[in-house]
Amino acid sequence: MRPEHPRALLETPRLYLRRFRTEDVPTLASYRSDPEVARYQSWTVPVSAEAAASLVRRFTAGDPERPGWFQYAVQHRAEGCLIGDVGVNLHENRMQADLGFTFATRWQGRGHATEAVCAVLRELFERRGLRRVSAECDARNTRSARLLQRVGFQREGLRRQHTWIKGEWTDDLLYGLLVDDWGRRGAGRDSPGAAGATQDAPRR
């Protein structure tokens, strides 16, 4: 779907995916300071305004067409507010990427994360011609795991006690999605009625 918002990079029936901007700092700090959102992530709470501003500066400097991480700000079309973000780490070969996502508690369980992730996957596979997208999440993060499976990712492995984070060893689930898998799933992948998710995958 071609973006209608003048600064949107991607859009869905309910969302704009755009670059981060300075006015996003307070909202980013707020939802990333939520203990439930940060539970399985590498950062600690609270996230200060200064830390959020530093993140936004880094996000705005990114280029979605170049290797490295790019963070899409996810804006609700009707409400006009930032509700989360989706990150893509494009590999140097430009044929593979890693995927991550974070959504504010208020917007969980309404299908927004599924909608946004599907928009990004469509961009990666259908316009940019990637071969594979990978993701990982804490094995306890069942909502993120369900979202990945819902949009077509296949579970490819379990790394037991692989990550030392917040004073404990945690297990990691590994997921992969190939362009052939994506093509077989057909239309309707960004249905507004699909269930949402909460935390990032992968952790970084």
Side-chain angles (χ1 to χ4, degrees):
M1 186 180 295
R2 186 174 181 177
E4 296 178 357
H5 187 281
R7 289 181 287 182
L9 300 173
L10 305 171
E11 71 172 49
T12 74
R14 297 184 296 173
L15 307 172
Y16 293 122
L17 279 72
R18 57 168 175 77
R19 289 181 174 275
F20 270 88
R21 48 193 188 228
T22 303
E23 53 263 42
D24 295 323
V25 168
T27 305
L28 179 68
S30 177
Y31 70 76
R32 290 211 169 193
S33 292
D34 185 334
E36 286 301 308
V37 173
R39 181 180 178 189
Y40 302 116
Q41 303 311 315
S42 58
W43 69 81
T44 57
V45 297
V47 175
S48 67
E50 292 77 11
S54 178
L55 284 173
V56 167
R57 285 193 295 271
R58 191 176 76 197
F59 295 162
T60 56
D63 183 341
E65 303 283 346
R66 298 182 64 180
W69 281 104
F70 180 80
Q71 214 78 10
Y72 291 91
V74 181
Q75 177 179 322
H76 195 278
R77 292 177 66 158
E79 298 292 334
C81 59
L82 178 69
I83 67 171
D85 53 270
V86 178
V88 175
N89 181 23
L90 183 64
H91 290 204
E92 290 291 337
N93 62 18
R94 299 175 190 263
M95 296 298 291
Q96 298 168 269
D98 302 306
L99 178 77
F101 44 88
T102 307
F103 280 76
T105 300
R106 176 189 170 193
W107 299 99
Q108 294 169 15
R110 306 188 196 183
H112 297 95
T114 299
E115 200 170 321
V117 167
C118 283
V120 171
L121 291 172
R122 183 177 295 109
E123 166 75 3
L124 295 176
F125 286 131
E126 299 179 17
R127 190 186 76 80
R128 294 165 60 182
L130 268 67
R131 177 66 181 169
R132 173 187 169 88
V133 177
S134 301
E136 66 183 66
C137 64
D138 190 302
R140 300 167 298 178
N141 192 351
T142 56
R143 299 189 74 181
S144 284
R146 286 198 300 267
L147 184 150
L148 293 169
Q149 293 166 14
R150 183 182 306 119
V151 301
F153 280 83
Q154 300 296 309
R155 178 173 160 177
E156 297 179 336
L158 169 66
R159 296 186 298 201
R160 296 182 301 159
Q161 298 187 18
H162 181 266
T163 302
W164 175 256
I165 185 170
K166 298 178 181 175
E168 61 181 338
W169 289 104
T170 63
D171 298 343
D172 297 339
L173 294 177
L174 309 179
Y175 288 90
L177 179 61
L178 302 179
V179 65
D180 294 340
D181 302 329
W182 176 257
R184 285 193 292 267
R185 290 186 61 80
R189 284 171 292 222
D190 58 355
S191 168
T198 55
Q199 289 85 19
D200 278 21
R203 296 173 293 200
R204 58 187 186 275

